Amino acid sequence: MPTLYVVATPIGNLNDMTPRAVETLRSVALIAAEDTRVTMKLLNRFEISTPFTACHQHNEEGKGAWLAEKMLTENIDVAVTTDAGTPCISDPGYGLVKACVEKGIEVIPVPGCCASVSALSVSGFDTREFAFYGFLPREKKDLREKLMEMARGVSVAAVHESPYRVTELVEVIANLLPQTRISCSCDLTKLHEKTIRGTAGEVLDMLRANPKTEKGEYCLILDFHEVVLPEEKAPAAEVSLEAQLVEQMLEGLDLRDAQSELVLQGAKKNAVKQAALRLKKLFTEDEE
């Protein structure tokens, strides 16, 4: 019976490649790689000659099913890798793993590097419980809603951000949830790796003062333990969401902004959306 190996690779320092990962990549018949150019450099470094094929976010749904069928037909083992870190953790790999699971193919992890876990380990926060969110929404309204949802739901969150947006992200956090403490790690395991820690405002000042902020890859750990959240409004049973939307609109907001405001105040996003649709329908019927 064939086996799929989910192989973690270094996130920067190639010396973090485990002996088991090297052995696995040498022993399988084929490697499913996120970017064959990146994988080729890794294979050359460890003198691995195993053939490889591209399996990334743009083709992994179809390619995953094809590879799983190939594994069964030819009875071969395959390893899946991404450019850096652990496949399926904010990286491609899900499509192939899912296809193999559905076909009854054994899936075995070959553990190693993971940027978010590395950042959590050096944060200095109580990380016995945490949630991983990957990259957060880019639009500020969606971002604000997501951050409020996170702060209400978890004590510690791990997120990724690009060097070009990290300052903007921390600025939004500092304005929205100023008591949030942040551990901000850049270029983990690499020569110039750095972690800065403090309140959202303190970390924002440090990012703004660093002329090299827009370089490297960032993983941020957000500690919400000391965050004071605004009181939630009365439940929908006491004051309908439609009435709350109308109240916000009477204060000058349009319907979309009114929806965002209710979500920030603690209302469920889907429930607010349905209330807005009912309100739109009511307005349309009145016009008729």
Side-chain angles (χ1 to χ4, degrees):
M1 187 67 179
T3 300
L4 174 69
Y5 294 93
V6 181
V7 181
T9 56
I11 57 176
N13 192 327
L14 292 183
N15 289 327
D16 291 334
M17 188 74 168
T18 67
R20 185 182 172 206
V22 172
E23 179 185 353
T24 300
L25 295 182
R26 284 177 177 157
S27 66
V28 296
L30 185 66
I31 299 170
E34 178 182 3
D35 187 325
T36 55
R37 295 165 298 182
V38 174
T39 298
M40 181 182 295
K41 294 178 182 177
L42 181 70
L43 299 185
N44 288 342
R45 168 67 171 75
F46 293 97
E47 299 180 348
I48 300 170
S49 57
T50 305
F52 49 83
T53 184
C55 186
H56 45 72
Q57 62 177 337
H58 302 297
N59 74 350
E60 70 170 323
E61 185 172 347
K63 190 69 171 283
W66 179 82
L67 282 169
E69 188 61 38
K70 180 180 178 67
M71 292 172 67
L72 288 172
T73 301
E74 302 179 16
N75 192 29
I76 61 172
D77 295 338
V78 170
V80 57
T81 66
T82 55
D83 294 349
T86 302
C88 304
I89 309 302
S90 197
D91 267 328
Y94 163 76
L96 177 54
V97 172
K98 179 174 181 288
C100 287
V101 170
E102 290 176 347
K103 291 183 179 294
I105 297 172
E106 187 172 15
V107 181
I108 294 178
V110 181
C113 297
C114 178
S116 58
V117 172
S118 298
L120 283 158
S121 71
V122 299
S123 67
F125 302 149
D126 182 350
T127 57
R128 288 173 291 181
E129 293 184 2
F130 68 89
F132 175 69
Y133 289 89
F135 287 90
L136 298 180
R138 293 190 182 187
E139 294 295 328
K140 282 196 175 182
K141 287 182 181 178
D142 294 336
L143 175 59
R144 285 166 53 87
E145 291 177 8
K146 188 65 177 179
L147 287 168
M148 289 299 296
E149 176 188 319
M150 291 161 60
R152 293 184 191 281
V154 301
S155 297
V156 176
V159 303
H160 288 168
E161 191 51 276
S162 86
Y164 305 107
R165 294 192 299 273
V166 66
T167 302
E168 182 179 352
L169 170 61
V170 176
E171 183 177 19
V172 172
I173 296 171
N175 290 330
L176 184 66
L177 301 165
Q179 299 93 354
T180 304
R181 295 190 62 80
I182 298 177
S183 175
C184 179
S185 295
C186 177
D187 279 342
L188 285 165
T189 78
K190 297 180 182 179
L191 181 61
H192 300 293
E193 72 175 294
K194 186 176 182 62
T195 296
I196 55 177
R197 306 170 183 85
T199 64
E202 290 168 345
V203 170
L204 178 60
D205 289 340
M206 285 184 271
L207 289 172
R208 286 173 171 169
N210 182 2
K212 296 182 178 180
T213 291
E214 290 190 357
K215 292 183 179 180
E217 299 298 327
Y218 286 86
C219 186
L220 288 76
I221 309 304
L222 312 180
D223 184 349
F224 300 121
H225 279 100
E226 298 179 8
V227 170
V228 178
L229 294 168
E231 292 185 10
E232 297 187 24
K233 285 204 168 184
E238 297 179 18
V239 180
S240 72
L241 288 173
E242 289 91 335
Q244 294 180 57
L245 285 170
V246 171
E247 180 181 345
Q248 294 292 337
M249 292 169 70
L250 289 173
E251 293 179 2
L253 299 181
D254 60 25
L255 183 56
R256 181 179 178 184
D257 288 342
Q259 290 176 251
S260 298
E261 184 61 29
L262 290 191
V263 173
L264 287 174
Q265 292 174 3
K268 299 294 184 182
K269 188 172 184 179
N270 286 338
V272 173
K273 182 177 180 181
Q274 292 301 317
L277 290 174
R278 290 192 294 270
L279 208 55
K280 283 184 179 178
K281 184 178 179 181
L282 180 63
F283 289 157
T284 303
E285 290 176 352
D286 289 344
E287 290 175 359
E288 294 176 353

